Amino acid sequence: MAVKDYIRERFFPHLWCPGCGHGIVLNGLIRAVEKLGMSRNEMVMVSGIGCSSRISGYMDFHTLHTIHGRALAFATGVKLSKPELNVIVPMGDGDALSIGGNHFIHAARRNIDITAIVMNNRIYGMTGGQYSPLTGPGMMATTAPYSNIDQEFDVVEMARAAGATFVARTTAYHVQQMADIIRAAILHEGFSVVEVMSQCPTYFGRKNKQGSAVDMMKRMKETTTPIGSAAKAKNPELIERGIFVQVDKPEYCSEYNKIIERAMGGR
Amino acid sequence: MAKAKLKEHRIDRDWCKGCGICVAFCPKKVLELDDQDKAVAVRIEDCIACRLCELRCPDLAIEVDTEEKVEEKA
């Protein structure tokens, strides 16, 4: 199917700012689903609130646009009632790790077969550029005019510690890798977390003097490196990208089915 | 991947927001922004149909149309 068969064209041009990385995530996600050859009827997209969460309106899947931070809770309900469907939950960094931080770690702990995509632009864009739990110390935000003092989460380390069985990181610049990783994450049976570093030129970029969307993407190219590369050994400041965790563990829906069978006593 | 021959760049001017990502990251410098800040393919003969502009466009505004069907990498 062509790209335009996966989107709701009537909502385009979309509302994201010029150069917003979330549009590139949308693009990469479509390529991933296209390559998988899955029908739109097999896909469910559940999102919360924020710039990132608007993505569910643009995709022509079964979509749920729910409340702030709770997308994974709704998605868990969808997946348990219809385990045959593929559930994708795109979230912003604040939506996933601040407002929805508990849903995030517990969905990971249960290892329910959901693909969580954390579109990390390190800021709350929709509400005007407040700092998020991924902004990091020393960065500027409208609520940190003298620079932020909060330490940030490492999405990969957090997802790994919480028990996610597929954890990866990529960027909006590396769009081909992004499509490949999202595809692998959808295929993975269990809770998959894909962090996509995304640019917000309007707030994060402007507040931190990082220039245009193009400049921010060049920075992604310069500040990241494949996992275990020689460059990382030389410069530990570089952020690694690739698949960090990919292990098999009992999946929640299949374990739940076993409990139903046991409770029914084989009837 | 089989070599694809370029037919045209289909650029949706209503969807393009002129962010310049396609212009900056085209390896052959095929694209430019016009006076209305919309992407246009000005050096079509240099295009190698790598589709990086299409893949990186945040607005899904570019489609690279090729002559032969490109064999998709599995």
Side-chain angles (χ1 to χ4, degrees):
Chain A
M1 290 209 303
V3 167
K4 291 197 172 167
D5 295 331
Y6 288 99
I7 59 173
R8 296 172 176 147
E9 277 190 65
R10 62 188 183 280
F11 297 133
F12 280 74
H14 57 55
L15 60 60
W16 290 318
C17 303
C20 175
H22 292 356
I24 307 178
V25 179
L26 170 72
N27 203 330
L29 178 79
I30 294 171
R31 313 287 162 171
V33 176
E34 190 184 21
K35 259 193 180 174
L36 283 169
M38 285 173 174
S39 116
R40 288 171 300 178
N41 288 331
E42 300 173 75
M43 311 295 292
V44 184
M45 185 171 266
V46 187
S47 68
I49 296 296
C51 290
S52 57
S53 301
R54 297 300 290 252
I55 194 171
S56 66
Y58 299 126
M59 297 299 297
D60 199 10
F61 299 152
H62 300 291
T63 58
L64 275 169
H65 195 166
T66 69
I67 52 179
H68 206 1
R70 319 294 175 219
L72 281 168
F74 286 85
T76 301
V78 171
K79 185 69 187 176
L80 275 173
S81 61
K82 295 264 178 205
E84 67 278 13
L85 298 176
N86 293 298
V87 183
I88 302 176
V89 182
M91 298 178 283
D93 44 305
D95 192 47
L97 295 166
S98 193
I99 300 94
N102 259 293
H103 294 296
F104 183 81
I105 56 175
H106 290 284
R109 178 176 60 83
R110 291 189 186 115
N111 194 31
I112 185 161
D113 188 11
I114 289 173
T115 304
I117 301 172
V118 181
M119 299 154 77
N120 176 13
N121 58 11
R122 306 177 68 191
I123 203 108
Y124 290 99
M126 182 173 276
T127 48
Q130 294 83 0
Y131 65 82
S132 86
L134 285 158
T135 301
M139 306 314 288
M140 302 296 223
T142 46
T143 44
Y146 300 100
S147 90
N148 185 27
I149 56 168
D150 288 18
Q151 294 293 326
E152 77 269 48
F153 280 132
D154 181 323
V155 182
V156 168
E157 290 307 321
M158 184 158 166
R160 189 207 303 261
T165 50
F166 183 103
V167 183
R169 179 191 287 131
T170 181
T171 83
Y173 174 83
H174 302 92
V175 65
Q176 289 146 310
Q177 182 191 36
M178 186 212 299
D180 288 344
I181 284 181
I182 293 177
R183 192 161 61 105
I186 293 172
L187 287 175
H188 178 78
E189 205 179 313
F191 193 69
S192 314
V193 177
V194 180
E195 177 191 1
V196 185
M197 294 165 66
S198 174
Q199 73 273 15
C200 173
T202 304
Y203 284 109
F204 192 85
R206 199 170 48 181
K207 287 278 167 200
N208 291 289
K209 301 199 166 39
Q210 291 194 352
S212 66
V214 169
D215 296 328
M216 293 181 82
M217 286 176 75
K218 282 184 183 157
R219 183 184 292 260
M220 284 175 195
K221 185 186 169 196
E222 289 156 10
T223 57
T224 64
T225 181
I227 298 173
S229 69
K232 172 76 178 173
K234 247 187 251 164
N235 179 8
E237 295 278 291
L238 291 176
I239 301 166
E240 287 180 297
R241 55 186 169 77
I243 298 171
F244 292 82
V245 179
Q246 193 168 17
V247 292
D248 280 329
K249 268 192 201 165
E251 195 273 323
Y252 196 67
C253 295
S254 51
E255 292 304 300
Y256 189 66
N257 267 339
K258 285 182 202 163
I259 287 293
I260 293 173
E261 274 172 33
R262 199 176 305 157
M264 298 294 282
R267 272 174 292 157
Chain B
M1 209 169 4
K3 266 222 170 125
K5 208 167 150 245
L6 178 82
K7 221 151 99 194
E8 58 165 341
H9 296 81
R10 271 203 296 269
I11 299 172
D12 190 325
R13 292 182 65 84
D14 290 335
W15 290 16
C16 174
K17 291 178 186 149
C19 66
I21 288 174
C22 56
V23 177
F25 295 116
C26 173
K28 295 292 174 187
K29 303 276 166 265
V30 172
L31 297 143
E32 267 178 26
L33 294 183
D34 66 10
D35 53 359
Q36 293 179 312
D37 270 353
K38 303 283 181 188
V40 278
V42 288
R43 284 173 287 275
I44 301 173
E45 64 282 0
D46 291 344
C47 177
I48 51 170
C50 67
R51 290 178 189 271
L52 282 174
C53 54
E54 180 182 320
L55 291 170
R56 287 213 181 94
C57 177
D59 295 288
L60 309 181
I62 306 183
E63 220 177 313
V64 178
D65 203 7
T66 49
E67 211 120 67
E68 299 136 307
K69 187 91 179 95
V70 188
E71 253 178 36
E72 296 281 334
K73 256 199 289 186

